[in-house]
Amino acid sequence: MQIKDFTGIKNNGPLPEPQLVQIPDDIGDLLPDYIESIGSILEQLEEAALAHESGNRTEENSAYIRRVLHKIKGESSMVGFEDIAELYHQAEFAFEELEQNEKSDMLLRLKDWTNAALQHMSN
Amino acid sequence: MGLKILIVDDSTLTRKKIIQIIHMVDLEVDDFFEAGNGKEALNTLNQTENVDLVLADLNMPEMGGAEMIQKMKSVNAMKSIPVVVVSTESRTERIKELLSEGVKDYLHKPFTPEEFRDIIQTVWSEPQIENTNILEECITQALETMAFMTIMPMENDLPTPQKTILASMNFMGARSGSVHIMASLDCAATLAENIGNLPEIGDDDPADALKELTNVTTGLILPMLATTTADVFAITVPTAETCDDSSQWNEFAADKKCTILNVEGDLIATKLIIDGKI
């Protein structure tokens, strides 16, 4: 499977369309579980990103964000969503490289993109 | 009868995926147990008999995999259950450390059914120390190798009884035990001469030579034994004149509480006592 280019997440560049995300052939009855699990983690990501945006730039909040990004990457990779795993791999790098005032925008864009992809999968 | 497998991971999705993968492998599983962290896993193990395998993530809330494994090793009923670490971490120092501490193997997430099958074969193909037959076979093989190394250069120098080596083994736990070697002083002296040129042994004291050879031999063939000890005892073996048929050898063996494993013509006789619970 060709992995798409998600490097645009670092610099607010273009990202592939969420509805083009590849659904693994062997996902079987795990698809609803995946949508539910990632949807739930995204809520945590949004909360932490908004906290960061409104000034909570503590190491504790940053560590929490790193864990959330890593968890989405891990779960996506485990069930075969290689595109999403790659997007979060790039996001982990971006989170480390971006300036403090750029991080929350990247995280919220990430959350919106992923929610759109989950919405497409649900349909 | 099928297996009982405990899957320890804080992600429900990952636990379900692991079960899905196991179903793709030709492995008969009676029960899957799931736990969200190490603490829950220990509770499950406390309440469940005969769990055959634990698949454990490392990074989990409340109690991670490493701590759980450490606690399992301190409980008699749990310490022999094979644990395979399933993690997104690469082979870091931490994982190497866990492997050296008795974790059976390591699976990198994500993994394929084929990778899981390979791991399972590794886990159950290793000799289980609790299996008396396999252990006895390994020990016999070790002693026969030692006997072979001993007799080759000396077969014409000593009468058969003086070539005799007696061995007794005593195992105290899953990975510790002792191997006691008894030999006539003539045998040990000849052995010391024969092996004196080997750099890893290189000692001309008969007792030390026999000890070293035992350690090297059993260490090579019985790597599951963390410790082996070899002691040399001066014994009076029957001479060719006083012990010239097998019944007399049997009496001698009974007297020494040994079992004769291998007596071949004028070659060495290796005798083995399995002493204590294995």
Side-chain angles (χ1 to χ4, degrees):
Chain A
M1 188 174 72
Q2 183 74 31
I3 305 291
K4 297 177 180 61
D5 180 4
F6 288 98
T7 51
I9 194 69
K10 285 179 195 168
N11 50 9
N12 206 21
L15 291 176
E17 291 298 318
Q19 56 269 34
L20 296 180
V21 70
Q22 288 276 348
I23 297 175
D25 295 336
D26 62 354
I27 188 71
D29 55 8
L30 288 183
L31 185 58
D33 293 302
Y34 177 76
I35 293 169
E36 186 187 338
S37 178
I38 301 299
S40 162
I41 307 171
L42 279 179
E43 288 175 14
Q44 300 165 22
L45 179 65
E46 182 177 22
E47 199 178 319
L50 290 172
H52 186 277
E53 189 174 46
S54 56
N56 181 354
R57 290 170 187 182
T58 58
E59 186 46 43
E60 190 186 355
N61 195 43
S62 295
Y64 181 76
I65 290 169
R66 286 188 191 98
R67 278 202 302 279
V68 168
L69 295 176
H70 192 73
K71 190 165 184 181
I72 296 178
K73 182 176 83 169
E75 292 210 347
S76 301
S77 174
M78 190 70 204
V79 297
F81 278 98
E82 299 295 341
D83 284 341
I84 297 181
E86 171 62 16
L87 169 61
Y88 279 77
H89 179 64
Q90 296 296 336
E92 284 182 317
F93 278 119
F95 185 72
E96 301 307 323
E97 290 172 7
L98 289 174
E99 297 295 327
Q100 286 292 355
N101 58 1
E102 298 171 322
K103 290 183 193 221
S104 54
D105 283 349
M106 183 277 289
L107 293 171
L108 293 170
R109 185 178 182 223
L110 184 68
K111 188 263 309 176
D112 288 342
W113 190 98
T114 315
N115 264 333
L118 294 181
Q119 185 63 43
H120 170 68
M121 289 173 208
S122 307
N123 300 331
Chain B
M1 202 171 75
L3 300 169
K4 290 180 180 176
I5 299 180
L6 169 62
I7 300 166
V8 193
D9 199 300
D10 59 329
S11 160
T12 311
L13 181 71
T14 299
R15 298 199 301 265
K16 284 186 177 178
K17 180 63 187 181
I18 291 175
I19 292 171
Q20 189 190 63
I21 290 174
I22 295 174
H23 280 312
M24 292 178 195
V25 177
D26 186 22
L27 191 68
E28 196 183 332
V29 180
D30 272 353
D31 281 312
F32 286 107
F33 299 90
E34 297 182 45
N37 59 47
K39 206 170 171 183
E40 286 179 20
L42 292 174
N43 285 339
T44 304
L45 290 171
N46 265 327
Q47 293 160 14
T48 314
E49 285 186 356
N50 303 326
V51 170
D52 298 287
L53 176 67
V54 176
L55 301 173
D57 189 16
L58 289 179
N59 299 317
M60 293 177 287
E62 276 198 76
M63 187 190 290
E67 189 182 346
M68 178 201 80
I69 290 162
Q70 200 178 28
K71 288 190 186 298
M72 281 178 69
K73 297 296 171 199
S74 66
V75 179
N76 276 338
M78 297 180 194
K79 66 182 174 190
S80 59
I81 302 172
V83 180
V84 172
V85 166
V86 184
S87 172
T88 52
E89 284 191 32
S90 301
R91 269 185 194 268
T92 56
E93 286 305 313
R94 182 156 75 131
I95 287 176
K96 285 178 190 165
E97 203 175 297
L98 288 169
L99 289 170
S100 73
E101 287 170 1
V103 165
K104 282 289 180 184
D105 220 320
Y106 160 76
L107 268 169
H108 187 272
K109 289 182 195 170
F111 57 89
T112 63
E114 291 71 30
E115 285 166 335
F116 180 75
R117 188 185 296 122
D118 289 347
I119 289 284
I120 288 303
Q121 282 169 354
T122 307
V123 168
W124 280 301
S125 67
E126 288 181 12
Q128 299 294 302
I129 198 82
E130 291 78 12
N131 185 324
T132 307
N133 291 337
I134 293 173
L135 183 63
E136 194 169 328
E137 200 176 299
C138 290
I139 292 168
T140 306
Q141 199 186 350
L143 288 173
E144 285 177 350
T145 304
M146 188 174 72
F148 178 76
M149 289 170 72
T150 309
I151 58 152
M152 283 306 283
M154 62 187 273
E155 60 182 309
N156 296 320
D157 298 338
L158 290 172
T160 299
Q162 269 67 32
K163 297 173 189 170
T164 299
I165 293 176
L166 301 171
S168 86
M169 284 94 203
N170 188 10
F171 292 90
M172 286 80 73
R175 284 182 174 264
S176 66
S178 61
V179 180
H180 286 183
I181 301 296
M182 293 168 277
S184 69
L185 285 177
D186 282 345
C187 176
T190 310
L191 177 64
E193 281 176 27
N194 288 341
I195 65 177
N197 293 330
L198 295 176
E200 68 270 27
I201 297 173
D203 195 319
D204 57 9
D205 178 84
D208 284 348
L210 194 57
K211 277 185 191 177
E212 284 301 313
L213 186 62
T214 307
N215 283 333
V216 169
T217 311
T218 54
L220 284 174
I221 297 177
L222 299 171
M224 77 286 278
L225 293 177
T227 59
T228 63
T229 60
D231 295 323
V232 178
F233 302 92
I235 57 165
T236 306
V237 293
T239 63
E241 289 73 34
T242 61
C243 185
D244 57 4
D245 67 38
S246 60
S247 65
Q248 286 173 297
W249 271 105
N250 288 338
E251 281 175 27
F252 177 70
D255 182 49
K256 297 292 178 192
K257 296 179 182 171
C258 298
T259 304
I260 297 176
L261 284 178
N262 179 29
V263 181
E264 291 182 20
D266 62 350
L267 300 184
I268 203 158
T270 303
K271 303 190 179 190
L272 170 69
I273 305 169
I274 300 292
D275 184 15
K277 188 182 174 188
I278 299 177

